[in-house]
Amino acid sequence: MRNLTRGRFLAWALAIPVVVLRPIVVVRLVRFHPAFGNVLRSPLYYLLRREHEQEIGSRRFLDFAFWVGDTPNASLARFWRRQIRIVQDPLPAIFAKMLNVISWYWMRSPRMSRHVVSLTQPQDMASERINSKSYCASQFLDEDEKRDLRECLKLLGVIPGQRIALLHVRSADHDLQSSSEFDSKCANADPQTFQKAVDYLNELGFAVISVGNPPSSASHLRGVIEYHSSSARTPLRDLTLGSAASIFVGTAVGAPTGLPLLFRLPFLSTNHQIGNSNVTAEPFSYGRTVLVPKNMRSPNGLLTQTECLKMDLPNSDRVLAELGVVAEDNDGEDILAGLKELLELGDDEASWSNARKSLEQRQFYELFDSNTKLPRVCRSESAVISPSFLSKHPHWLM
């Protein structure tokens, strides 16, 4: 109780000068989540917000960001700190803990909540500017990071000028290292279902590089450069590899899925589970995505999209088992077909726009929007649900 009292006193003592300064400048505390994955997403959504505020000429803001918890790897933290005023390093960790307490009280006050920007929960990771044409994290790399990336590609044996496809097939091994009871292996995929897509990319001259997952999780795929388990891997390169890639292929769940958003890469998002309507619809918002849903099967057969949403199917092995529902991995043919659709759409905005206007896309999103609790943003620039998949599995339009 004493700590709470001290925290409350500190929060309201600092609120006094903040309120006094409000007519001149709005001081804000920006909360970033350092958990695996959000190291990419939290700063992204803050920078998109700041870009929007600058564009509309809104009030002058003085923002102080901090990681709620441990600071990410030093090289990653340094990368973000060049773009954002982040208080940790060089300031002591105790300072960030104080800001965390202060922001906790401010968020619960109608008068002070405007002085906190919290980017710590899935529902916070949404922006109508996710498809901003002016944003790309590649512009943030300094010369040392670019030189380090070239050295990485050389170590991996990538030919200079060769197109690169990043591949991430989600494994729960990373999560199981921290908890033996991790409960969302249903969001994984069998790496072998990506072999046909890898073969096709190799035929087109791409170097296919695996990213994400623990080093022990080998993909065992022919034609894949196993960066994620190589001696060339560093936390910084996990990020900067996105700037060298031309395309991103992989499962819908996993920290590396922040890379296509950061670096504006065409994204084949496979094995997406459509169910829990309380989770942000971010995967549908990034407009350079071809998305392949994961079929959900009950004892009575495949569940329709409406049934999945009404049942609020979570990414939970335990709950799905209790409901008698099984999540089925996309097969190799569906992944290959989605890849070809993504490559055909390419960088042609007119082609993407026409694809979104098809009857099947409109039917899919009408069902989705009418059965989800959290609104979908970027409705005019949404992801394209794989047309071949919808043709093969029309129950997603029911």
Side-chain angles (χ1 to χ4, degrees):
M1 186 67 180
R2 181 181 300 173
N3 290 334
L4 288 176
T5 301
R6 289 175 179 173
R8 188 189 301 273
F9 174 79
L10 181 63
W12 299 124
L14 189 59
I16 295 172
V18 168
V19 171
V20 171
L21 287 171
R22 189 182 292 169
I24 303 171
V25 59
V26 178
V27 178
R28 296 188 301 193
L29 302 182
V30 182
R31 299 159 50 90
F32 287 161
H33 200 309
F36 192 62
N38 286 331
V39 170
L40 302 183
R41 282 176 166 78
S42 293
L44 163 68
Y45 285 102
Y46 168 73
L47 288 171
L48 290 174
R49 177 175 182 147
R50 192 172 71 181
E51 180 183 79
H52 174 66
E53 291 169 346
Q54 291 172 347
E55 185 176 286
I56 64 175
S58 59
R59 293 285 306 280
R60 183 185 173 194
F61 295 105
L62 179 60
D63 292 342
F64 297 94
F66 61 96
W67 301 100
V68 179
D70 295 333
T71 308
N73 169 268
S75 59
L76 282 178
R78 191 180 310 115
F79 173 84
W80 290 120
R81 200 168 58 247
R82 292 202 306 270
Q83 324 307 323
I84 304 168
R85 187 182 292 105
I86 300 178
V87 300
Q88 280 128 313
D89 187 18
L91 292 180
I94 187 65
F95 192 73
K97 292 180 179 179
M98 291 169 56
L99 294 183
N100 190 25
V101 172
I102 293 167
S103 63
W104 189 90
Y105 282 105
W106 285 7
M107 284 191 298
R108 286 152 181 80
S109 164
R111 188 179 186 187
M112 296 302 296
S113 59
R114 63 184 292 191
H115 294 278
V116 181
V117 177
S118 186
L119 295 161
T120 60
Q121 301 297 324
Q123 58 266 30
D124 299 329
M125 311 299 173
S127 171
E128 294 183 356
R129 297 182 65 84
I130 192 63
N131 296 301
S132 168
K133 303 299 185 293
S134 59
Y135 179 89
C136 181
S138 295
Q139 62 189 314
F140 301 152
L141 271 65
D142 65 16
E143 289 304 316
D144 287 340
E145 290 161 347
K146 293 177 182 177
R147 186 162 43 249
D148 178 73
L149 177 58
R150 290 193 294 269
E151 177 64 21
C152 174
L153 296 176
K154 181 179 179 180
L155 290 172
L156 295 175
V158 177
I159 301 170
Q162 186 177 16
R163 289 187 296 174
I164 294 171
L166 298 183
L167 174 69
H168 173 251
V169 184
R170 194 254 191 187
S171 166
D173 289 354
H174 173 87
D175 307 284
L176 290 170
Q177 289 177 0
S178 58
S179 171
S180 61
E181 298 180 357
F182 193 79
D183 190 39
S184 66
K185 293 188 287 293
C186 56
N188 292 353
D190 180 357
Q192 289 303 313
T193 59
F194 288 82
Q195 186 62 67
K196 291 181 179 180
V198 170
D199 291 342
Y200 186 69
L201 287 167
N202 287 158
E203 290 173 8
L204 295 177
F206 280 87
V208 182
I209 300 177
S210 67
V211 294
N213 294 334
S216 59
S217 301
S219 71
H220 301 296
L221 292 170
R222 299 183 311 274
V224 171
I225 300 171
E226 302 274 4
Y227 159 79
H228 81 275
S229 59
S230 74
S231 59
R233 184 177 185 181
T234 68
L236 179 64
R237 290 170 176 175
D238 285 354
L239 169 72
T240 57
L241 267 174
S243 69
S246 300
I247 189 173
F248 189 99
V249 175
T251 46
V253 175
T257 59
L259 290 175
L261 279 63
L262 281 168
F263 293 100
R264 296 323 196 214
L265 304 177
F267 181 17
L268 177 63
S269 179
T270 74
N271 293 278
H272 180 77
Q273 288 182 240
I274 297 176
N276 192 335
S277 58
N278 283 311
V279 175
T280 177
E282 179 199 57
F284 299 101
S285 301
Y286 181 54
R288 301 190 74 190
T289 300
V290 169
L291 188 147
V292 189
K294 178 175 278 196
N295 282 326
M296 310 299 286
R297 186 180 294 275
S298 74
N300 296 323
L302 292 174
L303 296 175
T304 67
Q305 180 184 182
T306 301
E307 289 172 329
C308 289
L309 291 169
K310 286 188 177 299
M311 292 175 70
D312 259 357
L313 296 179
N315 289 341
S316 166
D317 306 327
R318 178 182 56 80
V319 176
L320 290 179
E322 291 173 354
L323 295 171
V325 174
V326 176
E328 298 182 347
D329 290 355
N330 296 149
D331 64 33
E333 291 295 340
D334 290 337
I335 293 174
L336 176 60
L339 173 62
K340 291 180 177 179
E341 290 163 346
L342 180 68
L343 292 171
E344 185 176 351
L345 289 168
D347 292 324
D348 185 4
E349 290 296 330
S351 296
W352 283 97
S353 179
N354 289 335
R356 296 183 189 108
K357 293 176 182 176
S358 73
L359 177 61
E360 292 78 11
Q361 298 295 315
R362 288 188 282 112
Q363 287 178 327
F364 179 92
Y365 279 117
E366 284 173 4
L367 286 172
F368 184 85
D369 292 335
S370 62
N371 287 285
T372 52
K373 298 180 177 67
L374 291 177
R376 180 169 58 93
V377 299
C378 305
R379 297 193 179 197
S380 63
E381 294 182 287
S382 56
V384 171
I385 312 304
S386 171
S388 59
F389 186 84
L390 291 179
S391 177
K392 181 178 176 181
H393 300 288
H395 64 279
W396 283 104
L397 302 178
M398 302 177 189

